[in-house]
Amino acid sequence: MAKNQITAVQLKPYLIECGYRPSLIDPGTALLGGRHAAWTAFAHVPLDMRSACISAIDGLTDSQNDAAACKDLGAPITFVCFQDRFEWWKQSSGEPIWLETIPAQRASQFFQKYKEVFAPDAIYRAKTWGRVDTHHQLTFVDLGLMPLVEEEAGKRIEQLLARNVSELKKHLDWSDITQQQGKWLLQSVFWLLAAKVLRDKNVPKFKNADLADVPAIFDLVADHYGTKERLVPQGPKERSGLVAIASDIQQFADLGMLTTEALAYVYEQALIGKETRAKLGTHSTPTFLIDYILGNLAPWIKEIPLSEHFVHRTISSKKAFREVISL
């Protein structure tokens, strides 16, 4: 390709110069609506909305729509490429905001100019610590973006869960269900959802898993989470019902970018009723509040010798999700 032309893939070497390890640049990241970003660069593992820093996509429609297609990745920066130029867009809690258009032949100078602020640590700290420490704030990082995309992802999962529990119940002709039946319904759908998440995150043994093979999937999930309990369809009607919802879950949007915070939304909204919340005081802690507390404690923590570092924590949203699906 001529020197004055560039594609999104050709921007990757510049990201490596900014400090991104090749293993943290994910090619062809799936987007909602069926499109794929050319790549997404992450600060660290796990590769999810919280660690996403920069994405790039080749322009197909108008540039704002192309940039908006990448919003749900949670990366504050999106580059949209049009061969002779690429555009720098800021993702926000509203519409993407255009910042600059760079001619293809000036790509090297552009990334050299912004090398320090485009670095993975700089963007990640701006996303997580920017609320409490102005030194970490960057003008192109919208602090409202990450909480928004995590909540929206949680809502989509909640709707998927509710829809499939309802469909499975209808398939089995269950009206007034017993406590045992209710547990089985929720557990079965959650195990299929867990398999979908693990497959989309490329967890070994799940990469090529077929959710329609329900008995095998249930065995994989049980082994992965180390539970002795096994879910086994008791008859042809249960099996056919599970295969039907497995197909719906399998065709759902890619969940590889899902964070534990998004799962916490599902746990909080779909699984915890008002009575349980009032009785046990069960509430999830918003991510922004965690960042705020840790950000203010950081100076004191740094003064403590590493040999004296101890972490006492309450149940995490990830552990809560794991316990629910292995009831």
Side-chain angles (χ1 to χ4, degrees):
M1 184 169 287
K3 186 177 180 181
N4 62 348
Q5 292 186 326
I6 198 164
T7 64
V9 170
Q10 290 177 307
L11 293 179
K12 287 176 64 175
Y14 299 115
L15 269 292
I16 295 174
E17 292 177 6
C18 289
Y20 292 88
R21 299 200 306 271
S23 61
L24 297 180
I25 303 177
D26 178 50
T29 314
L31 306 173
L32 293 178
R35 290 186 67 179
H36 288 77
W39 51 260
T40 306
F42 299 84
H44 53 69
V45 292
L47 309 186
D48 58 25
M49 297 170 185
R50 191 168 177 82
S51 62
C53 295
I54 303 176
S55 62
I57 191 170
D58 288 307
L60 291 180
T61 57
D62 68 87
S63 51
Q64 187 176 53
N65 283 340
D66 291 322
C70 298
K71 178 178 179 177
D72 291 296
L73 296 176
I77 297 174
T78 296
F79 295 120
V80 182
C81 293
F82 291 97
Q83 294 196 355
D84 65 330
R85 70 192 190 281
F86 62 97
E87 298 179 0
W88 176 13
W89 287 82
K90 169 184 176 178
Q91 297 290 358
S92 73
S93 52
E95 295 294 328
I97 300 169
W98 172 87
L99 295 180
E100 188 175 342
T101 298
I102 304 94
Q105 63 269 27
R106 293 190 57 81
S108 181
Q109 295 95 315
F110 170 78
F111 282 100
Q112 187 61 39
K113 177 181 178 180
Y114 292 103
K115 182 176 180 179
E116 291 187 6
V117 293
F118 283 174
D121 286 348
I123 295 179
Y124 182 74
R125 286 170 181 163
K127 289 176 68 173
T128 56
W129 294 64
R131 292 183 180 86
V132 296
D133 189 340
T134 56
H135 291 93
H136 293 305
Q137 290 178 358
L138 296 171
T139 57
F140 54 81
V141 175
D142 186 331
L143 296 176
L145 174 66
M146 189 170 62
L148 176 68
V149 296
E150 287 181 331
E151 180 178 335
E152 289 180 344
K155 287 179 179 178
R156 291 193 294 270
I157 297 298
E158 179 190 9
Q159 292 167 359
L160 176 68
L161 173 66
R163 179 174 72 246
N164 280 284
V165 168
S166 178
E167 286 299 316
L168 184 55
K169 178 183 173 183
K170 183 191 299 184
H171 183 91
L172 297 172
D173 295 323
W174 289 355
S175 52
D176 297 325
I177 62 174
T178 65
Q179 184 176 359
Q180 184 177 0
Q181 289 174 325
K183 176 186 176 181
W184 182 87
L185 279 171
L186 186 60
Q187 188 177 21
S188 298
V189 177
F190 251 98
W191 280 34
L192 289 171
L193 175 59
K196 162 72 172 171
V197 173
L198 293 167
R199 192 187 68 170
D200 290 351
K201 287 184 176 291
N202 294 316
V203 173
K205 295 186 179 181
F206 286 88
K207 289 183 179 180
N208 299 312
D210 180 6
L211 269 63
D213 188 356
V214 176
I217 286 296
F218 282 172
D219 284 343
L220 280 176
V221 171
D223 291 340
H224 182 78
Y225 287 104
T227 177
K228 295 180 180 180
E229 183 176 0
R230 288 293 190 268
L231 281 179
V232 180
Q234 297 301 311
K237 200 165 189 177
E238 284 187 4
R239 184 184 295 270
S240 62
L242 288 169
V243 169
I245 67 168
S247 176
D248 182 45
I249 293 172
Q250 186 156 253
Q251 294 174 33
F252 192 71
D254 191 285
L255 299 177
M257 295 289 289
L258 200 67
T259 63
T260 53
E261 284 72 23
L263 293 176
Y265 178 89
V266 179
Y267 180 71
E268 180 84 2
Q269 300 297 322
L271 301 178
I272 303 298
K274 292 181 179 179
E275 182 178 343
T276 301
R277 196 185 312 281
K279 182 178 180 180
L280 302 179
T282 302
H283 299 276
S284 64
T285 305
T287 309
F288 70 84
L289 182 56
I290 296 172
D291 293 335
Y292 177 81
I293 294 171
L294 292 177
N296 279 284
L297 290 175
W300 295 346
I301 295 173
K302 289 179 181 179
E303 294 178 3
I304 302 173
L306 287 176
S307 59
E308 298 179 17
H309 281 197
F310 298 95
V311 178
H312 300 277
R313 63 181 178 86
T314 56
I315 185 171
S316 68
S317 56
K318 183 178 180 181
K319 184 179 178 183
F321 177 70
R322 183 172 67 192
E323 289 185 350
V324 169
I325 62 173
S326 57
L327 286 172

